[in-house]
């Protein structure tokens, strides 16, 4: 994440306060994006989840409609793309076949194409009009981890750059930029949870299913955490929007099924607390991700089932919250005897032979 920000985040003299965001590869196109009819975020799998994580912030700061498209669905539906659309294509390798085809289709419709990729010189980075290299370093494993957090970071920087002329959102931008400066240290603190996640993995190693509930900014955290568990640990898992709990998933809840609920303090906190109370009333086996100084939810789960993470500004919290879930999926995979780097039946463009 520090690498992604290097050269793009201009700090004050104290080195701790962000003065402004400068994206060299985007400088000539920011005004065009601001004039767009809408912004479209397009990707597959983990990259799509990173788009879900930043959608709310991008809508808030740009005041443009932001829509999400699964790259594999673009051609199936022949999506109506227009010349005044700005479409951001997100891919770790920059060679993802579905995303590449969606980008070629978008170019044929005359839309502005923007790339968020990790591999310099990749097909998407060459063919897009402009973009950001996330500079995360080689992602050797098939399951994307650091690329996910760096993609979110890059798109947060883009949202900040797009809104730099807005006086009405100046206070919110300043709050986010303070958080950006703290982000690498907060993520290091989250990585210190490794031992607790190993112990948690030992209690879950023989389970057949895992449900994860998230809301708002952390809906993406639930989806991505579930994807990692199913992808590498080969354990059925599902990320669910907590607001949809009563519309079907509640029927699955009993004392045996482990449920992860992300409940860090943001605008969805009160609603998440209500979800936890309703699940507990049905004797749910809860695992909670909460703020490190939040004791109000301790009564709903055993002490070793409460994961306390450092709390940062709401739109950056998914970057911290996903780390314990990535660690959990890693330890589950090792304990279950599977290959962490090359999951069964999956492969990756460019970075895995």
């Amino acid at each position: 994440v520090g690498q992604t920000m290097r050269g793009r985040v201009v700090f004050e003299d104290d080195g701790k306060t962000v003065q402004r965001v400068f994206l060299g590869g985007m400088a000539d196109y920011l005004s065009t994006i601001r004039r767009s009819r809408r912004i479209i975020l397009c990707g597959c799998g983990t990259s799509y989840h990173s788009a879900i994580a930043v959608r709310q912030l991008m809508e808030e700061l740009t005041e443009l409609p932001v829509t999400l498209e699964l790259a594999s669905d673009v051609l199936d539906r022949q999506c109506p793309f227009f010349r005044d659309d700005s479409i951001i294509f997100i891919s770790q390798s920059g060679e993802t076949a579905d995303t590449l085809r969606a980008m070629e289709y978008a170019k044929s419709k005359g839309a502005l194409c923007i790339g968020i990729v990790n591999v310099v010189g990749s097909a998407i980075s060459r063919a897009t009009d402009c973009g950001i290299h996330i500079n995360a370093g080689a992602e050797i494993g098939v399951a994307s981890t650091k690329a996910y957090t760096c993609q979110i970071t890059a798109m947060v920087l883009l949202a900040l750059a797009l809104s730099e002329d807005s006086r009405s959102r100046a206070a919110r931008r300043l709050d986010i930029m303070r958080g950006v400066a703290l982000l690498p240290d907060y993520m290091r603190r989250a990585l210190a949870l490794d031992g607790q996640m190993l112990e948690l993995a030992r209690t879950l190693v023989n389970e057949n299913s895992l449900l994860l509930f998230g809301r708002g900014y952390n809906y993406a955290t639930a989806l991505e955490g579930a994807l990692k568990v199913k992808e590498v640990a080969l354990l059925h898992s599902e990320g669910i929007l907590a607001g949809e709990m009563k519309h079907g998933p509640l029927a699955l809840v009993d004392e045996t099924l482990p449920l992860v609920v992300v409940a860090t303090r943001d605008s969805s906190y009160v609603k998440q607390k209500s979800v936890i109370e309703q699940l507990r009333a049905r004797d749910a086996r809860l695992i909670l991700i909460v703020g490190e100084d939040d004791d109000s939810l301790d009564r709903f789960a055993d002490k070793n089932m409460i994961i306390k993470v450092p709390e940062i500004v709401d739109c950056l919290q998914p970057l911290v919250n996903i780390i314990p879930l990535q660690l959990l999926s890693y330890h589950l995979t090792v304990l279950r005897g599977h290959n962490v780097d090359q999951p069964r039946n999956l492969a990756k463009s460019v970075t895995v032979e």
Side-chain angles (χ1 to χ4, degrees), residues 297-311:
L297 299 174
D298 287 3
R299 68 185 189 277
F300 293 109
D302 296 335
K303 187 177 180 182
N304 60 341
M305 295 293 174
I306 298 178
I307 302 151
K308 300 212 167 184
V309 296
E311 285 188 299

Side-chain angles (χ1 to χ4, degrees), residues 105-119:
Y105 171 77
K107 286 190 82 172
S108 74
K109 299 293 183 181
L112 177 70
C113 295
I114 302 149
I116 305 282
V117 298
N118 191 27
V119 180

Side-chain angles (χ1 to χ4, degrees), residues 281-300:
R282 291 160 177 83
D283 298 318
R285 186 177 158 197
L286 291 175
I287 300 160
L288 306 180
I289 298 178
V290 302
E292 59 188 358
D293 59 348
D294 182 5
D295 300 327
S296 65
L297 299 174
D298 287 3
R299 68 185 189 277
F300 293 109

Side-chain angles (χ1 to χ4, degrees), residues 272-286:
Q272 284 298 78
K273 206 168 182 177
S274 172
V275 165
I276 290 167
E277 288 168 350
Q278 291 175 57
L279 291 172
R280 196 73 193 99
R282 291 160 177 83
D283 298 318
R285 186 177 158 197
L286 291 175

Side-chain angles (χ1 to χ4, degrees), residues 16-298:
K16 297 177 182 177
T17 310
V18 176
Q19 186 184 74
R20 66 177 296 235
V21 173
F22 176 74
L23 303 176
M26 300 287 299
D28 295 337
Y29 292 89
L30 293 177
S31 59
T32 306
I33 299 170
R34 291 187 193 110
R35 292 195 303 269
S36 299
R37 173 201 296 233
R38 59 182 173 163
I39 295 172
I40 300 167
L41 305 175
C42 183
C44 301
T46 290
S47 295
Y48 181 72
H49 294 162
S50 72
I52 295 172
V54 297
R55 178 190 191 177
Q56 186 177 335
L57 178 69
M58 202 162 274
E59 285 176 332
E60 179 190 347
L61 293 185
T62 66
E63 293 188 346
L64 288 169
V66 179
T67 60
L68 303 171
E69 292 289 354
L70 278 163
S72 57
D73 193 40
V74 167
L75 290 180
D76 291 349
R77 284 177 28 238
Q78 293 288 296
C79 287
F81 290 160
F82 303 98
R83 291 181 64 182
D84 50 0
D85 287 335
S86 293
I87 308 178
I88 301 174
F89 294 94
I90 312 155
S91 167
Q92 189 283 137
S93 65
E95 304 280 350
T96 310
D98 287 326
T99 310
L100 200 50
R101 282 196 289 270
M103 186 209 64
E104 289 164 353
Y105 171 77
K107 286 190 82 172
S108 74
K109 299 293 183 181
L112 177 70
C113 295
I114 302 149
I116 305 282
V117 298
N118 191 27
V119 180
V120 177
S122 58
I124 291 174
S125 72
R126 292 195 313 270
T128 42
D129 298 299
C130 58
I132 303 170
H133 287 113
I134 64 172
N135 300 331
E139 182 87 277
I140 301 301
V142 168
S144 188
T145 49
K146 62 182 179 177
Y148 173 75
T149 49
C150 290
Q151 284 165 350
I152 295 174
T153 304
M155 286 188 282
V156 167
L157 296 182
L158 177 56
L160 289 169
L162 286 169
S163 61
E164 65 183 354
D165 295 336
S166 172
R167 186 168 293 183
S168 64
R169 289 179 291 279
R172 171 67 164 155
R173 290 181 75 258
L174 188 61
D175 201 27
I176 295 166
M177 290 196 289
R178 287 196 191 104
V180 165
L182 297 169
L183 194 51
D185 286 335
Y186 276 53
M187 293 177 76
R188 269 187 213 101
R189 283 163 58 191
L191 283 163
L193 293 163
D194 188 51
Q196 184 183 355
M197 301 321 293
L198 173 58
E199 291 307 310
L200 180 58
R202 286 185 176 132
T203 69
L204 298 175
V205 67
N206 294 316
E207 297 297 333
N208 295 315
S209 192
L210 179 67
L211 299 186
L212 298 91
F213 290 92
R215 197 179 198 126
Y217 286 108
N218 283 295
Y219 175 40
T221 305
L223 291 174
E224 178 61 11
L227 179 62
K228 285 292 157 282
V229 170
K230 72 173 71 128
E231 194 175 11
V232 292
L234 311 186
L235 166 66
H236 171 259
S237 54
E238 192 177 343
I240 297 171
L241 184 65
E244 290 293 293
M245 178 191 70
K246 290 182 179 177
H247 303 284
L250 198 58
L252 293 171
V253 175
D254 61 18
E255 67 282 356
T256 60
L257 178 66
L259 309 173
V260 178
V261 183
V262 184
T264 42
R265 283 174 290 198
D266 56 21
S267 59
S268 301
Y269 179 67
V270 174
K271 291 178 179 177
Q272 284 298 78
K273 206 168 182 177
S274 172
V275 165
I276 290 167
E277 288 168 350
Q278 291 175 57
L279 291 172
R280 196 73 193 99
R282 291 160 177 83
D283 298 318
R285 186 177 158 197
L286 291 175
I287 300 160
L288 306 180
I289 298 178
V290 302
E292 59 188 358
D293 59 348
D294 182 5
D295 300 327
S296 65
L297 299 174
D298 287 3

